[in-house]
Amino acid sequence: MAPNTSDPLVLGVNASFSGKRWLQRPYDARLALGLAQQHDLPEIVGRLISARGIGSDEVASFLDPKLSTDLPDPGHLLDMSVAVNRLVVAIQQKQKISVFGDYDVDGATSSALLKRYFRALGQDIRIYIPDRLKEGYGPSIPALDQLKSEGADVVITVDCGIASHEPLSHAKTAGLDVVVLDHHVAEVGLPEAVAIVNPNRLDETSVCGQLAAVGVTFLFLVALNRGLRDAGYFSKEVREEPNLMEWLDLVALGTVADVVPLTGVNRALVVQGMKVMSQRRNMGIKALSDIANLDEAPTAYHLGFIFGPRVNAGGRVGEAYLGAQLLSTTDPIEAAHLAQLLDDYNQERRAIEERIQEEALLQAESQGNRSVIMVHGEGWHPGVIGIVASRLKERYNLPACVVAIADGMATGSGRSIPGFDLGNTVIAARQRGLLRAGGGHAMAAGFTLDAHKMGEFHEFLDQRVATFIQEAGIIPTTSVDAVLTMEASTLELVNMVQRLGPFGSGNAEPRFAYSGLRVVNASVVGKGHVRCVFSNAGGARLQAISFGSAEATLGHRLLNHGGLPVNVLGRLRENVWQGRSSVQLQIDDAAYA
């Protein structure tokens, strides 16, 4: 069927307050109507589903994803059977198993998932999380030597290891068996390990490349559970088979926090995981909920913006192991203590981030006509540079890298724009000799280099991105799902839209545009938020809020509207106040009408 061919420019907005064009998200009008009729849905919901590339036979599973239908057989992944066989032997012979995890949420949830599984088997495992400042990312020779000296027979790396050629070669020589569970972009040459399970290996044909490391770890445990069952492990003694579904809350948290696409099996993992999370069985997640005063069923927003930053805070500015320890503990007193520590570290992280962001913005403004924003600072904290890079990317609609310099070495973190694979570009720079180390995935990457090579590296990135932008004809845009009236913006519509969640990377939350609204009232609330009341020609009103925009152009224009009508773009939410529900628009952008 032919796609919708109407003018893609929505409400004629070619340059909004945020400097973006508003484009109609492509959808098939006839398919949208057919989906609505076939599945008894409002036409607008049919349009939203069509715009997300969902076919008629996929609608039921999209609206109600289930692992029973969406979870692939783990055995399809290369090296999975090898990894399982090695761990079955280790478990049967009660060999010592250690886990080497990354210090972010994906690494913490993956490590905690393994800890809980082996605890259910009656075996304790050691979790090793490297210190970001002292040890850097991924397995190192000293760390693996330490685990070997502690008696480890097998080390499972999670969310790291795919680029650790020298450390894993050393481990092999030392007689330490390593199983890699990772999801980062791989090179042609793989490190020496007993098994490397990674859906993003170049020789892999899996359709599960969108999995976070915790998703790969979950598939591994599904396969390991089956391997132990086939080996008679659960029948020889009085030993109950672990119920992996109990730990889907960890899988959901790691998946959302790592900002991987919420499509396919990831969607099912998150939807089912949030159901488990709402039962508050995990003492660590329960403690995080309590400290954040969360008394409602968790959503993807809570996982990404409430729980995730706190779990991350240990690895960023505190003690790296705290996140994994919190998520694996069964002691409510310990959980409360750890959650408080992480909350304190998170507040410290915010203060550091704000200072570095101010300095970074001053540098970025003076860089002129660049295709990549790259800023650096002596003594900047490496634990927050990734967050600042995200802020710069959002502000300038360009790939952004933030670099911390210490003792002549530069440690950087980058964030990309849709379509430009930053991870592969960083790998190419490393292969050219510009970097000491580096890797990642399409939208994010990390790297280290000698500080004196930063200019050369910036030029390398700038040239690559400039060529990409020119060839792709990229202009900053925002996708609009539909133009609505205030009268159509009902709680019923809000609830229907939420059925399309969880929203995140790969499944964007629907954005709606409104034409020619008047600003009845606008004021600054909280920490730089702008609260508005809009009205239309018929006198209807709509409550709205623009988060963190008071110092940006968007906020300034809303606060100083001069009575001019505006077109507004945002996402509809339910706002509950004193037991009463109403519709609220979360403003993403606006433009003069």
Side-chain angles (χ1 to χ4, degrees):
M1 294 184 179
N4 179 44
T5 57
S6 61
D7 183 359
L9 200 62
V10 176
L11 298 179
V13 177
N14 197 44
S16 69
F17 295 161
S18 299
K20 297 178 182 179
R21 302 177 71 198
W22 291 4
L23 298 182
Q24 173 67 54
R25 190 185 301 277
Y27 71 98
D28 188 315
R30 284 178 287 175
L31 175 60
L33 183 59
L35 292 176
Q37 293 174 341
Q38 183 178 351
H39 297 278
D40 194 23
L41 298 168
E43 188 277 332
I44 183 65
V45 177
R47 178 194 295 195
L48 298 175
I49 292 174
S50 168
R52 279 146 186 80
I54 307 302
S56 181
D57 58 344
E58 301 171 299
V59 172
S61 62
F62 182 79
L63 294 176
D64 188 20
K66 292 183 171 64
L67 288 174
S68 58
T69 55
D70 294 338
L71 191 71
D73 184 342
H76 83 280
L77 288 166
L78 293 174
D79 272 7
M80 181 64 85
S81 60
V82 180
V84 167
N85 291 339
R86 180 63 187 91
L87 267 298
V88 167
V89 170
I91 292 166
Q92 289 175 326
Q93 297 182 2
K94 297 191 181 299
Q95 295 179 332
K96 189 164 185 177
I97 301 166
S98 295
V99 172
F100 190 104
D102 189 17
Y103 35 62
D104 68 358
V105 183
D106 198 11
T109 51
S110 300
S111 300
L113 182 59
L114 288 170
K115 180 84 170 179
R116 286 179 173 272
Y117 180 81
F118 281 96
R119 182 189 292 144
L121 295 181
Q123 296 191 24
D124 191 33
I125 62 170
R126 156 89 146 99
I127 294 178
Y128 187 102
I129 307 291
D131 183 280
R132 182 190 293 262
L133 296 180
K134 298 176 182 176
E135 300 176 81
Y137 169 79
S140 63
I141 290 175
L144 293 173
D145 281 344
Q146 179 179 333
L147 293 175
K148 178 65 176 175
S149 70
E150 293 173 359
D153 299 293
V154 180
V155 171
I156 306 172
T157 73
V158 288
D159 200 27
C160 57
I162 195 65
S164 304
H165 294 265
E166 186 180 356
L168 297 197
S169 179
H170 175 84
K172 182 179 179 181
T173 302
L176 188 61
D177 286 347
V178 178
V179 170
V180 175
L181 305 180
D182 204 349
H183 73 126
H184 290 101
V185 176
E187 299 179 55
V188 175
L190 296 173
E192 293 187 274
V194 170
I196 298 176
V197 181
N198 182 343
N200 291 306
R201 284 174 51 161
L202 294 183
D203 56 348
E204 180 63 82
T205 59
S206 172
V207 296
C208 295
Q210 80 272 32
L211 283 171
V214 72
V216 177
T217 302
F218 183 77
L219 284 186
F220 167 70
L221 290 182
V222 172
L224 179 58
N225 220 35
R226 183 168 60 195
L228 289 170
R229 188 187 312 127
D230 293 343
Y233 183 78
F234 299 117
S235 59
K236 287 181 179 178
E237 303 175 27
V238 181
R239 186 180 291 111
E240 187 176 352
E241 185 171 328
N243 179 11
L244 294 173
M245 300 301 109
E246 293 180 1
W247 305 313
L248 281 174
D249 48 1
L250 292 172
V251 184
L253 175 56
T255 298
V256 172
D258 212 50
V259 201
V260 293
L262 298 185
T263 57
V265 64
N266 280 351
R267 185 173 171 78
L269 289 170
V270 172
V271 168
Q272 300 305 322
M274 288 193 299
K275 292 179 182 177
V276 174
M277 191 177 291
S278 66
Q279 298 169 11
R280 296 166 69 93
R281 293 179 180 175
N282 185 298
M283 289 294 104
I285 296 177
K286 180 180 183 298
L288 286 176
S289 300
D290 291 341
I291 209 159
N293 297 315
L294 179 65
D295 57 1
E296 58 184 300
T299 65
Y301 169 81
H302 297 117
L303 274 60
F305 295 97
I306 303 298
F307 300 150
R310 288 171 169 81
V311 173
N312 248 336
R316 292 192 183 279
V317 298
E319 299 158 283
Y321 64 89
L322 289 179
Q325 186 175 344
L326 172 71
L327 297 173
S328 59
T329 186
T330 57
D331 182 348
I333 296 177
E334 180 186 30
H337 171 68
L338 294 173
Q340 183 62 63
L341 273 179
L342 287 169
D343 190 64
D344 293 341
Y345 280 134
N346 192 47
Q347 293 182 42
E348 181 183 342
R349 185 269 305 168
R350 286 179 179 173
I352 296 171
E353 176 194 328
E354 287 176 5
R355 176 180 60 80
I356 294 176
Q357 184 170 314
E358 287 179 8
E359 297 175 20
L361 283 170
L362 287 175
Q363 279 190 48
E365 291 291 343
S366 65
Q367 290 195 350
N369 190 25
R370 286 281 199 172
S371 299
V372 176
I373 302 297
M374 181 177 284
V375 297
H376 63 276
E378 190 82 35
W380 283 1
H381 199 298
V384 303
I385 56 178
I387 304 173
V388 177
S390 294
R391 301 281 189 269
L392 294 179
K393 187 260 296 188
E394 292 166 4
R395 184 182 183 97
Y396 295 102
N397 299 301
L398 292 171
C401 295
V402 180
V403 184
I405 299 176
D407 301 323
M409 288 298 298
T411 301
S413 183
R415 298 294 183 269
S416 191
I417 57 176
F420 183 74
D421 192 328
L422 185 59
N424 270 330
T425 304
V426 165
I427 289 173
R430 191 185 78 214
Q431 293 170 338
R432 186 172 291 195
L434 296 175
L435 307 176
R436 285 176 175 259
H441 48 79
M443 298 301 290
F447 50 87
T448 58
L449 71 160
D450 296 311
H452 69 269
K453 289 187 176 181
M454 278 187 50
E456 190 179 356
F457 178 49
H458 194 178
E459 289 296 333
F460 175 84
L461 286 179
D462 209 50
Q463 195 171 52
R464 289 280 184 118
V465 176
T467 300
F468 167 75
I469 289 175
Q470 183 177 6
E471 291 178 350
I474 289 180
I475 299 172
T477 63
T478 293
S479 294
V480 181
D481 286 275
V483 177
L484 287 185
T485 63
M486 283 189 180
E487 290 76 9
S489 305
T490 63
L491 283 174
E492 182 182 11
L493 176 61
V494 172
N495 292 330
M496 288 178 182
V497 168
Q498 289 305 310
R499 288 188 63 194
L500 307 184
F503 301 116
S505 175
N507 184 35
E509 184 173 358
R511 287 189 176 96
F512 301 108
Y514 296 82
S515 174
L517 303 185
R518 297 283 180 179
V519 182
V520 177
N521 183 37
S523 59
V524 178
V525 297
K527 295 185 177 181
H529 313 313
V530 177
R531 182 168 59 196
C532 298
V533 178
F534 295 113
S535 69
N536 64 8
R541 295 198 171 194
L542 179 64
Q543 304 286 335
I545 190 165
S546 177
F547 289 109
S549 72
E551 297 301 319
T553 302
L554 173 60
H556 281 299
R557 296 278 175 85
L558 291 172
L559 291 166
N560 304 285
H561 51 83
L564 295 173
V566 291
N567 297 327
V568 183
L569 179 66
R571 291 161 284 171
L572 291 174
R573 299 286 175 80
E574 179 182 7
N575 184 44
V576 180
W577 175 250
Q578 295 183 340
R580 298 176 61 184
S581 293
S582 61
V583 175
Q584 183 182 67
L585 182 71
Q586 184 171 314
I587 303 170
D588 290 323
D589 205 354
Y592 289 124

